[in-house]
Amino acid sequence: ATHIGVRVTRDATEFHETLPRSALDLGLWIEAQRMRHHHDNVNWAGLDGERQAMVHTLMGQGRHSYGRVPVTIAQMAYPAGHPYSWTPAGSVVDLSGATRENAKDWIDRYFNPANATLVVAGDVEPATVKALAERYFDGLPEGERAGHLTRWVARLHGGRRRTVVEMAPRPRLYMVWNVPPAFTPDVARLQLAAAILAAGNNSLLDRRLVDRDQLATGVSAIVRQREIGSQFVVTIDLKPDVSAALVERDADQVIAQLLADGPSSGALVRARSILLAHIVRRLQSASAQAHWLARSEVFAGSPDAWKRQVAVLRSSDAAEVRDAAAEWLSGGVLGLYVIPKSERPSSGIHLTEPSAPVVGPPGKVHIPRLQAMALSNGMVVLLAQRDTAPLVDFDLVIGGGLASDTGVTDGTARLAFESLASGASGGLDVEGGQLLERLGASLSTRVGPDAADLHLSALRLHLADSLAVFARIVKHPTFSKTGIAQGKQRLLAAIATQRQSLAGILHRVLTPLLFGSNHP
């Protein structure tokens, strides 16, 4: 296998493997053996060591940027006893009191075929997968399906406010609402509302807080979908010495106007394109396909439930988005203001078992033939053609990365190149930025030591229009004083974030030591 892991979320425990097709037989056998011998596989003698490792991890959360925020939001947003009122890692007190019998009881209750869903995604034949699943899993004791809650939204009433001091590179404001469970129509419409508010440089909150009032360096909004109740979360990174109350007041005004008037037709088209394009890109990963299918089956009782959500995204009109937002984003809200710390703290049934299958030879890798041509101006164009997804990716690679800062201020190359994709305030004008978002295209940059890369991901349906905007950015970039100033703020915030991690500190110190101060 290229990857084996386990993920514990608030709603499910997921064992996942990524492996070549030739090892599918072995992978399913391994998972069946894990379930068949679950008691034998648990290292009970090592339970205390595992507990200590988890306790150490929990105690170390305070040393990571915004590390305690999820715990604080869970405790403030949900009543005592709600299954989302704690995080999956639990607490130091709970872990300290956990016994071997607790762990054994959990495995006996949940780790059985009746309580499990198997999903296989990739280059496989359904009949083959079904036959293998029957071979390895049919002989296992059925067990009992564990009962659980199906809905408990726990709507907030009134305003809940708290200010906390955390290890963080910059002050941050969180605004949180409890909203309906995953795979409900209103959740899909709230996703559209989140994109209208804070997806891209042309979103409502970005234009108000970042561009117009210049109170924040960045905004985001997301619907965290969960089985019995989701959360709508707006995150705002404040500039230093900016009043959180002022930022929250401005954000409230923007949200209130959306609840009253609904989105414009252009804003709704832009949000829908952004979300649908994101889904297309995510589904290029087999692991993402498996994850979506599993969530659909487990939370909604049907593997195609995600398709119904896509249908709601496609069909919802402005009035439906307004009504959903007005229903769930009015009334109770949780406001959490994070202030950065000034300095770091110190620190027994016998069954006939199938034998392990033999792994066959690896499958053939299909690499597209590379086609090349040269333009009259000297630019080299390379094409790798594939037909597996309605996406086209462009990379414009310029031979001039961080090393080209020689003789000028360090960071100039990154500032200049990233400004090409920074929207209305940088190399992309307002009209071009809005057009790319309506077309479902995304623009990004990467500046390495020796080269800089401007990347465009476009839907094949809108290929010509997306490439026209891309070419306009390259040939006629616009750089304003405001855009450069905001670019500096973003890079300074990135440096502050880098200085909060040990790996980031090591990178900043080690490179000059290795190469010397005069090396590019």
Side-chain angles (χ1 to χ4, degrees):
T2 58
H3 179 76
I4 299 177
V6 60
R7 176 170 50 214
V8 180
T9 70
R10 285 172 168 81
D11 300 306
T13 300
E14 306 168 8
F15 294 91
H16 50 92
E17 298 182 16
T18 302
L19 34 74
R21 181 176 55 184
S22 58
L24 172 63
D25 202 343
L26 179 61
L28 292 176
W29 177 83
I30 288 173
E31 290 305 326
Q33 291 295 93
R34 191 203 304 271
M35 189 169 287
R36 186 188 303 275
H37 301 291
H38 51 271
H39 281 301
D40 298 337
N41 290 336
V42 177
N43 179 12
W44 300 111
L47 186 63
D48 285 337
E50 187 67 28
R51 185 202 342 260
Q52 289 301 319
M54 293 180 67
V55 168
H56 178 75
T57 299
L58 284 172
M59 296 180 68
Q61 284 180 332
R63 296 192 292 270
H64 300 286
S65 295
Y66 311 106
R68 295 287 301 173
V69 166
V71 175
T72 304
I73 290 178
Q75 293 172 346
M76 292 183 64
Y78 294 103
H82 192 287
Y84 295 162
S85 62
W86 60 87
T87 59
S91 69
V92 173
V93 173
D94 292 334
L95 286 171
S96 299
T99 65
R100 169 178 172 171
E101 287 68 32
N102 296 146
K104 183 178 179 180
D105 288 345
W106 187 92
I107 291 175
D108 287 340
R109 182 180 181 189
Y110 291 100
F111 201 58
N112 63 69
N115 202 49
T117 296
L118 174 67
V119 178
V120 178
D123 185 17
V124 293
E125 293 295 332
T128 301
V129 175
K130 182 179 179 181
L132 292 175
E134 289 173 344
R135 179 190 304 173
Y136 297 125
F137 289 91
D138 254 359
L140 301 182
E142 181 178 352
E144 295 183 5
R145 184 167 182 82
H148 63 282
L149 290 168
T150 57
R151 185 182 177 100
W152 188 358
V153 176
R155 292 189 66 157
L156 297 168
H157 299 283
R160 302 182 187 181
R161 301 288 185 276
R162 181 179 295 180
T163 299
V164 296
V165 179
E166 290 266 356
M167 286 304 304
R170 68 188 72 84
R172 176 176 286 180
L173 176 66
Y174 294 88
M175 302 172 70
V176 182
W177 294 262
N178 290 344
V179 299
F183 300 106
T184 55
D186 270 359
V187 157
R189 292 168 186 138
L190 288 171
Q191 286 182 288
L192 288 166
I196 290 165
L197 285 172
N201 297 309
N202 295 293
S203 61
L204 298 179
L205 287 174
D206 195 284
R207 283 160 54 186
R208 174 70 175 268
L209 298 177
V210 178
D211 286 339
R212 197 193 83 174
D213 297 345
Q214 298 190 28
L215 300 174
T217 59
V219 298
S220 66
I222 188 173
V223 182
R224 292 175 179 158
Q225 298 191 57
R226 296 169 184 158
E227 184 178 14
I228 66 174
S230 305
Q231 282 190 324
F232 190 105
V233 183
V234 173
T235 305
I236 306 171
D237 288 326
L238 281 63
K239 287 187 175 181
D241 303 321
V242 168
S243 166
L246 176 61
V247 172
E248 188 171 7
R249 185 204 67 187
D250 280 12
D252 282 338
Q253 290 176 356
V254 173
I255 294 170
Q257 187 164 3
L258 176 63
L259 305 190
D261 303 336
S264 67
S265 59
L268 181 57
V269 169
R270 183 188 67 85
R272 182 180 289 118
S273 296
I274 289 173
L275 291 174
L276 293 177
H278 174 71
I279 291 171
V280 171
R281 294 184 181 99
R282 282 287 309 278
L283 289 179
Q284 304 316 301
S285 162
S287 61
Q289 294 171 16
H291 181 68
W292 283 28
L293 290 169
R295 284 174 57 89
S296 295
E297 173 65 28
V298 174
F299 298 165
S302 171
D304 64 352
W306 70 273
K307 291 184 178 180
R308 296 197 293 271
Q309 289 295 96
V310 171
V312 176
L313 289 177
R314 288 183 178 278
S315 63
S316 294
D317 58 26
E320 289 172 321
V321 174
R322 178 200 62 206
D323 292 346
E327 168 68 20
W328 294 102
L329 303 186
S330 59
V333 60
L334 162 64
L336 180 65
Y337 178 45
V338 179
I339 300 175
K341 282 183 179 178
S342 58
E343 35 182 76
R344 287 180 175 270
S346 58
S347 43
I349 299 177
H350 300 289
L351 300 169
T352 301
E353 302 180 10
S355 59
V358 177
V359 178
K364 183 179 180 181
V365 179
H366 301 284
I367 300 177
R369 181 175 61 88
L370 199 62
Q371 303 174 55
M373 63 177 290
L375 304 183
S376 59
N377 59 12
M379 178 182 287
V380 176
V381 180
L382 302 176
L383 171 65
Q385 188 171 4
R386 65 171 192 170
D387 299 313
T388 57
L391 290 173
V392 182
D393 290 316
F394 293 90
D395 285 281
L396 181 67
V397 183
I398 303 296
L402 305 179
S404 65
D405 284 339
T406 304
V408 298
T409 303
D410 291 346
T412 299
R414 183 174 175 186
L415 174 62
F417 212 72
E418 290 189 357
S419 293
L420 284 172
S422 64
S425 58
L428 181 59
D429 57 38
V430 175
E431 180 184 354
Q434 292 177 340
L435 180 57
L436 278 184
E437 290 174 345
R438 289 199 301 271
L439 296 173
S442 67
L443 195 66
S444 61
T445 60
R446 180 185 180 276
V447 182
D450 305 303
D453 178 12
L454 183 64
H455 176 77
L456 173 72
S457 178
L459 298 177
R460 189 168 57 199
L461 178 66
H462 303 303
L463 177 59
D465 291 338
S466 301
L467 186 56
V469 178
F470 185 66
R472 192 172 83 210
I473 296 167
V474 174
K475 293 193 289 186
H476 306 291
T478 58
F479 295 100
S480 65
K481 290 183 179 180
T482 301
I484 294 299
Q486 291 186 3
K488 290 180 180 180
Q489 288 289 338
R490 287 192 297 271
L491 291 181
L492 289 171
I495 292 171
T497 301
Q498 192 180 40
R499 285 175 170 164
Q500 293 291 327
S501 72
L502 294 179
I505 294 170
L506 177 64
H507 175 74
R508 297 188 67 84
V509 172
L510 184 61
T511 305
L513 289 177
L514 285 173
F515 294 103
S517 58
N518 295 323
H519 194 282

